[in-house]
Amino acid sequence: MATCAVYTTPSLHSCSITIPAKTSSGFHRRQVIVFTSKRITERGGRRTSEVSCSAEEAKTVVIGLAADSGCGKSTFMRRLTSVFGGAAEPPKGGNPDSNTLISDTTTVICLDDYHSLDRTGRKEKGVTALDPRANNFDLMFEQVKALKHGVAVDKPIYNHVTGLLDPPELIRPPKILVIEGLHPMFDPRVRQLLDFSIYLDISNEVKFAWKIQRDMAERGHSLESIKASIEARKPDFDAYIDPQKQHADAVIEVLPTQLIPGDNEGKVLRVRLIMKEGLQHFSPVYLFDEGSTISWIPCGRKLTCSYPGINFAYGPDTYYSNEVSVLEMDGQFDRLDELIYVESHLSNLSTKFYGEVTQQLLKHSDFPGSNNGTGLFQTIVGLKIRDLYEQIVAERAAAVAEAAKV
Amino acid sequence: MATCAVYTTPSLHSCSITIPAKTSSGFHRRQVIVFTSKRITERGGRRTSEVSCSAEEAKTVVIGLAADSGCGKSTFMRRLTSVFGGAAEPPKGGNPDSNTLISDTTTVICLDDYHSLDRTGRKEKGVTALDPRANNFDLMFEQVKALKHGVAVDKPIYNHVTGLLDPPELIRPPKILVIEGLHPMFDPRVRQLLDFSIYLDISNEVKFAWKIQRDMAERGHSLESIKASIEARKPDFDAYIDPQKQHADAVIEVLPTQLIPGDNEGKVLRVRLIMKEGLQHFSPVYLFDEGSTISWIPCGRKLTCSYPGINFAYGPDTYYSNEVSVLEMDGQFDRLDELIYVESHLSNLSTKFYGEVTQQLLKHSDFPGSNNGTGLFQTIVGLKIRDLYEQIVAERAAAVAEAAKV
């Protein structure tokens, strides 16, 4: 790390860091120039300023999204990139089996690309893709770190069709980098690079209902084989994936509804958005009265809803010893007026205009979960990430302007 | 009833009604002059107005308050008159055992004064004071009607000390007449005279706990004798008093707390304010979102409360086939900040300035129930009655002004 301290000089200062071109870790030569005003103090009536230039200085905002396979990460990513205004598409002219999605502002990389063992290798060693031993966390850390600091990388591609590792693709540093997959918060070094982290926590009952719907109804698998595949996956999932949620800044929990006694179809869902308190660029959404405990059935005199209705809950709680706020929605929206009514009673949404949440959900009404808490909370988290990004950018701009003045 | 219809004349019209002086029903000679614009229509481009002058025209706003003996009616009355700004006192220079309370705006008469049988008479006939046969509803109706129309009456006095009927006292028509007692909504004719009616509904568990506290701890009665007296009273109470609550515009239900499992001490209370919907001069208080169903624990990050905390609930309901809104408070206030915090989250309170509910409760912190839902809801009902009174007066003034213009 290179640091320069400067006292009351009129000119701008810069420091450049050179990273070797095309290393084995896949880095690209790039000059990094950073100005950051760290401290301004009065020394005998004279303003002094310390400007530090550091390779540690971030340029890209990095978001981590963890969830099991097939649990809605890609829908979430499409909602997130939509909030930023552009459509996310695979890299143009590259490997057609690339897992990457790129929009104007955002690049989403799939952490399966850091598998150190391909399908055959995993079979031979008897490890699942969930097992850390099947993943290269050193490379994941180095490449995410490089991207965060504005350095392009040659990222491997795990081909989900062939089960093999394909030749790498060039990833340029975006404004927002999303790393999504099984292990974004597993390695402490990678975790430290995240500006915000989300865990999609699908309860076993709902996971089972979803798998039955997809694998049995659509792919003709037997109930027994579905049960067996879930059971086989469970030990590694519980050991390596699930514990990451304690590190997440936001958790979206998906549970069976409580509105229909004994329901296990997984069609009507109870969804909880667990938001960490005390973060610098993230203030939790709340319902009516911040920090109190509330339950709310919006359906009543002003709003009528069909069976089984809609229930909201909000309140403070603790989650793995962290102070959190929890917003919960049970049930689903039938009509637009229900959605806008609910939006109008939520606060701290980080929308840019009245009805933006509703607009986003309507725009993508074909995405799974657009009529329930998964879609609502994914959209809200997308808006909060946009807000977080804008806060970080504004702070950097202010720091640069401050440094320029000095 | 005398009615005069007038069409587009420039002068004011009046009609006078003469009631015989000092009748056996205790009426005083009084001239009643009323102008009311009943209808304004366009007739061939000419504005026309029908002015009716009628002995039916009300001058005094009449409020009915029903409850069992010893259930907080007098505290409620003191809160109500305080909202109007004056202190309520017995008539000056009159019978020291008078049950009447008079303030600048309000006269409270106790319906026990309409007992047709004194204590001995009731004993002889084997009827309780709860029995309609022990009460003179004809006289009650005629005198309340006279007062409502601006005519003074000589009202009997039931002496609670001697159990005898004392010579009557003169009651002049006030701005607001409150008739409080066992039967304000029993007789359909009296009920029709009420501009607003309230029923204080103390649950048997709480009534029992209160009686134990008062009669056992303070007066040395035995538990058995208290139980026996409640049991003896119950059939007539259930037959004649309790059914009146179906006619009430507002009911204050007092129940044991649900915050302390198994509690039957009657110290911590759950109090429900049941408010009829669709009334002309009364719009129910609500919490956060009018017409939806809400539960709210205000104690949390912003407000800390001691055990067992405070729970609020709000929502639409039906009560004896009437559409109502119900506001509920379980628990009690320990400190001023809890009270003002709760007040700031209630809407439609009809306060004249921020914090008026809190100010009223603090002013009378020595009254029973000032720290729980009984005091809170009695104060709120007082404010709603002031609002109702002001609306009625404003409408009358507007009608008179309109009639004067024509």
Side-chain angles (χ1 to χ4, degrees), chain B residues 66 181-186 199 240-248:
Chain B
L182 294 166
H183 303 95
M185 286 96 91
F186 182 85
Y199 187 96
Y240 309 121
I241 312 305
D242 191 73
Q244 292 177 94
K245 62 191 184 192
Q246 66 190 292
H247 303 297

Side-chain angles (χ1 to χ4, degrees), chain B residues 75-390:
Chain B
T75 300
F76 194 171
M77 284 307 102
R78 288 192 289 166
R79 290 196 198 281
L80 176 65
T81 48
S82 170
V83 163
F84 280 92
E89 288 175 356
K92 282 194 181 85
N95 185 333
D97 291 331
S98 164
N99 303 305
T100 302
L101 287 172
I102 296 175
S103 75
D104 292 349
T105 52
T106 309
T107 294
V108 182
I109 62 175
C110 174
L111 296 181
D112 288 353
D113 289 336
Y114 294 103
H115 281 337
S116 54
L117 297 171
D118 61 14
R119 203 173 285 158
T120 316
R122 294 199 298 273
K123 219 166 198 173
E124 281 171 7
K125 296 220 171 173
V127 296
T128 71
L130 305 164
D131 193 313
R133 288 173 293 172
N135 297 278
N136 186 346
F137 287 102
D138 291 339
L139 184 63
M140 189 193 293
F141 165 61
E142 285 173 13
Q143 294 205 335
V144 173
K145 184 183 171 189
L147 286 167
K148 188 175 175 84
H149 298 133
V151 180
V153 299
D154 279 325
K155 182 190 58 56
I157 297 175
Y158 175 75
N159 190 318
H160 285 93
V161 182
T162 62
L164 298 170
L165 288 159
D166 284 354
E169 62 186 349
L170 176 68
I171 304 290
R172 297 182 204 282
K175 289 179 178 170
I176 299 163
L177 173 70
V178 182
I179 58 170
E180 63 94 350
L182 294 166
H183 303 95
M185 286 96 91
F186 182 85
D187 185 284
R189 298 167 302 170
V190 178
R191 206 159 64 222
Q192 273 240 316
L193 297 172
L194 301 176
D195 292 289
F196 195 78
S197 56
I198 307 134
Y199 187 96
L200 281 185
D201 190 8
I202 317 298
S203 71
N204 288 330
E205 298 95 318
V206 173
K207 219 182 258 184
F208 188 64
W210 285 359
K211 277 206 192 281
I212 284 182
Q213 196 185 329
R214 193 188 64 180
D215 294 352
M216 208 162 117
E218 295 168 21
R219 299 182 187 175
H221 296 197
S222 75
L223 189 65
E224 283 315 304
S225 78
I226 294 167
K227 275 187 185 167
S229 98
I230 289 177
E231 283 307 311
R233 205 175 164 76
K234 205 169 177 304
D236 278 1
F237 184 84
D238 290 349
Y240 309 121
I241 312 305
D242 191 73
Q244 292 177 94
K245 62 191 184 192
Q246 66 190 292
H247 303 297
D249 298 319
V251 175
I252 298 179
E253 264 181 18
V254 184
L255 302 151
T257 183
Q258 290 181 334
L259 298 174
I260 306 166
D263 179 83
N264 56 5
E265 280 191 58
K267 281 179 187 163
V268 182
L269 298 172
R270 181 166 75 99
V271 187
R272 287 158 54 87
L273 174 58
I274 300 164
M275 300 162 280
K276 210 177 257 181
E277 287 286 336
L279 299 182
Q280 197 186 349
H281 300 112
F282 175 74
S283 58
V285 175
Y286 67 87
L287 186 59
F288 298 121
D289 178 28
E290 196 173 6
S292 72
T293 302
I294 288 185
S295 84
W296 177 48
I297 302 171
C299 318
R301 287 211 186 93
K302 289 189 189 163
L303 187 74
T304 53
C305 310
S306 69
Y307 179 83
I310 301 172
N311 266 28
F312 272 81
Y314 162 78
D317 208 340
T318 53
Y319 185 80
Y320 290 96
S321 310
N322 292 310
E323 202 182 337
V324 297
S325 282
V326 181
L327 180 65
E328 177 181 316
M329 174 182 171
D330 197 350
Q332 55 195 29
F333 302 112
D334 288 332
R335 302 187 319 269
L336 170 65
D337 59 345
E338 296 168 8
L339 185 44
I340 192 85
Y341 191 81
V342 165
E343 178 177 356
S344 70
H345 286 86
L346 293 168
S347 297
N348 257 0
L349 284 172
S350 300
T351 48
K352 287 196 190 286
F353 54 88
Y354 178 77
E356 190 177 10
V357 172
T358 301
Q359 191 211 54
Q360 282 292 332
L361 282 165
L362 285 180
K363 197 169 160 186
H364 304 296
S365 56
D366 55 323
F367 288 6
S370 289
N371 67 340
N372 66 34
T374 64
L376 177 66
F377 294 160
Q378 285 173 1
T379 302
I380 288 174
V381 169
L383 292 166
K384 300 304 290 185
I385 288 173
R386 182 181 66 186
D387 190 18
L388 171 130
Y389 167 75
E390 288 174 354

Side-chain angles (χ1 to χ4, degrees), chain B residues 390-404:
Chain B
E390 288 174 354
Q391 286 181 56
I392 293 173
V393 167
E395 280 176 19
R396 275 185 213 154
V400 169
E402 189 58 39

